[in-house]
Amino acid sequence: MKPSVSVIVPGYNASQYITHAMESILVQRQVLVELILVNDGGTDNTNEVIAPDRDRIVYIEQENKGLSAARNVGFRASTGEFICFLDADDLLLPDKFERQLRKFDEEPDLGVVISGYHIVDADGTTVISTVHKPWDRDGLQRLLNHEVFPPHAALVRREVLERSSLFPENIDTYESQEDWQLWLDLALDGVQFGSVVEPLVKSLVSEKKGVGEKAMGELK
């Protein structure tokens, strides 16, 4: 059966936290999910850490090419009708895709649905702030004002990404510029944005330090 959602997870030496990100994908409710992990030239023991779940994921290894290139490779290998890009040290809450797919069903002309999100500290559970700002159907002006959101807060129709140039591989700052450029390109192409304002993901602030064991307890 073809998956409804493909989740692309780029990772570089991500072994200390990749299992938490993976589990947050595999526990999604009521949705058939394809998990694609792109090991972007890492030299740690990611291969060993993910071994118990290898039959449940699509695993791609490549030489280090950067975040944008890893996301693009993962997208090209995906088969889902909807796409989510999750960094290896962030988390999805269990009803994220169920809620966002319901929004797509209610408004079938939407191309992107953005959820609210928790910004959390390095332990993965301490909430620093919560953002639940709605995005109206035309996100262009807000994007022109350089408003951004975590990439994993968005669920995107495959067809709108296929029309795009994907993530710009000449921008690889890990500071959201490559994300912003993709969303802006979609908006300029006339893609309609919608939202589920409730927080459905967690996003780590500052340095990427992993989420720790405590974070997964909140997902169950």
Side-chain angles (χ1 to χ4, degrees), residues 1 27 43 69 94 105 107 119 151 155 188 215:
M1 186 181 297
V27 300
T43 57
D105 286 341
E107 300 183 49
I119 299 174
L155 188 62
L188 289 169

Side-chain angles (χ1 to χ4, degrees), residues 59-102:
Y59 184 54
I60 300 170
E61 293 183 281
Q62 64 177 29
E63 63 183 48
N64 182 249
K65 296 181 179 180
L67 176 62
S68 292
R71 287 173 173 167
N72 293 343
V73 164
F75 171 69
R76 295 184 184 109
S78 69
T79 62
E81 181 182 358
F82 296 89
I83 306 296
C84 176
F85 297 96
L86 174 67
D87 288 349
D89 50 1
D90 291 325
L91 292 171
L92 312 179
L93 298 182
D95 57 348
K96 170 182 162 63
F97 297 146
E98 181 185 12
R99 296 288 305 280
Q100 289 178 307
L101 290 173
R102 191 184 310 156

Side-chain angles (χ1 to χ4, degrees), residues 1-169:
M1 186 181 297
K2 185 175 180 180
S4 299
V5 178
S6 295
V7 187
I8 289 88
V9 183
Y12 176 77
N13 291 340
S15 62
Q16 71 266 36
Y17 39 76
I18 190 64
T19 53
H20 302 299
M22 289 170 56
E23 186 172 351
S24 80
I25 297 166
L26 296 172
V27 300
Q28 289 295 302
R29 297 173 181 148
Q30 306 298 320
V31 178
L32 184 60
V33 175
E34 174 183 57
L35 195 171
I36 300 176
L37 174 60
V38 182
N39 187 339
D40 187 40
T43 57
D44 65 1
N45 64 334
T46 293
N47 284 343
E48 298 171 21
V49 169
I50 69 167
D53 293 305
R54 281 293 293 269
D55 62 341
R56 305 171 70 189
I57 69 174
V58 177
Y59 184 54
I60 300 170
E61 293 183 281
Q62 64 177 29
E63 63 183 48
N64 182 249
K65 296 181 179 180
L67 176 62
S68 292
R71 287 173 173 167
N72 293 343
V73 164
F75 171 69
R76 295 184 184 109
S78 69
T79 62
E81 181 182 358
F82 296 89
I83 306 296
C84 176
F85 297 96
L86 174 67
D87 288 349
D89 50 1
D90 291 325
L91 292 171
L92 312 179
L93 298 182
D95 57 348
K96 170 182 162 63
F97 297 146
E98 181 185 12
R99 296 288 305 280
Q100 289 178 307
L101 290 173
R102 191 184 310 156
K103 183 71 171 179
F104 278 114
D105 286 341
E106 293 167 354
E107 300 183 49
D109 58 337
L110 294 179
V112 181
V113 172
I114 303 161
S115 79
Y117 53 95
H118 296 297
I119 299 174
V120 298
D121 207 346
D123 65 4
T125 60
T126 303
V127 176
I128 297 172
S129 63
T130 297
V131 178
H132 39 70
K133 182 189 299 183
W135 280 70
D136 57 22
R137 301 180 66 79
D138 181 7
L140 179 58
Q141 188 56 54
R142 291 172 64 173
L143 289 160
L144 288 172
N145 290 333
H146 283 261
E147 289 192 46
V148 295
F149 46 85
H152 59 304
L155 188 62
V156 191
R157 285 192 189 275
R158 174 179 207 86
E159 61 193 61
V160 305
L161 289 171
E162 288 176 336
R163 296 200 306 264
S164 77
S165 300
L166 299 177
F167 292 96
E169 297 184 15

